[in-house]
Amino acid sequence: MTTFASSLKKEIARVARKELREELDALRKASASHRSEIAALKRQVRELQVALRQTSRRADKALHTLAPDAPAEAPQRGRRAVFSAERLKAQRERLGLTQKEMAAYLGTSTLSVWKWETGQVTPRARFLPAILALRSQGKREVLRQLASSGGGAAG
């Protein structure tokens, strides 16, 4: 019986190798196609990086030719203005304005002014210059501007 067992063992091994060979061939083909795709993508990335460098050089050159005498942007000196909800409320109260009048002066809604003052929201960048300009203005000046713009300021 040992010859039968060994023959059966050999036959099973041969069939298994045959099936594995078919599976491995499919995997090898897929692997080879993946490798070639990866190589093509790497080449494409390299070409795009070169094109990007060339484009950025051209853009830099174009910027320098448009404004050759313009100085390079130097960092601004001094402190950067930072919005503070408490300061906005204190400024409004110092000027004797209601939230409605403040909103009319800044060109926004009363709800926005309330949210800014409570700290729920910070104002958009377009409102910051007007808010910061309030620091240097007096009560009469603001009320005069409100009256001339039809903001309905109560003196």
Side-chain angles (χ1 to χ4, degrees), residues 45-97:
V45 165
R46 254 185 263 120
E47 291 169 1
L48 288 173
Q49 285 174 339
V50 168
L52 178 64
R53 274 189 237 114
Q54 290 173 347
T55 305
S56 68
R57 285 183 193 141
R58 287 184 195 141
D60 288 343
K61 206 177 274 187
L63 284 175
H64 290 296
T65 58
L66 287 178
D69 56 329
E73 287 190 30
Q76 295 180 351
R77 293 190 178 174
R79 295 185 347 191
R80 198 181 96 204
V82 178
F83 174 77
S84 167
E86 295 83 20
R87 277 188 265 151
L88 178 67
K89 186 173 182 177
Q91 186 70 20
R92 179 181 62 79
E93 290 171 350
R94 180 186 69 83
L95 294 172
L97 299 175

Side-chain angles (χ1 to χ4, degrees), residues 18-37:
K18 184 178 176 184
E19 286 190 23
L20 281 176
R21 190 177 310 125
E22 292 171 2
E23 295 280 331
L24 285 176
D25 286 343
L27 286 174
R28 283 187 188 116
K29 285 181 183 176
S31 176
S33 69
H34 290 315
R35 271 192 244 111
S36 64
E37 288 176 17

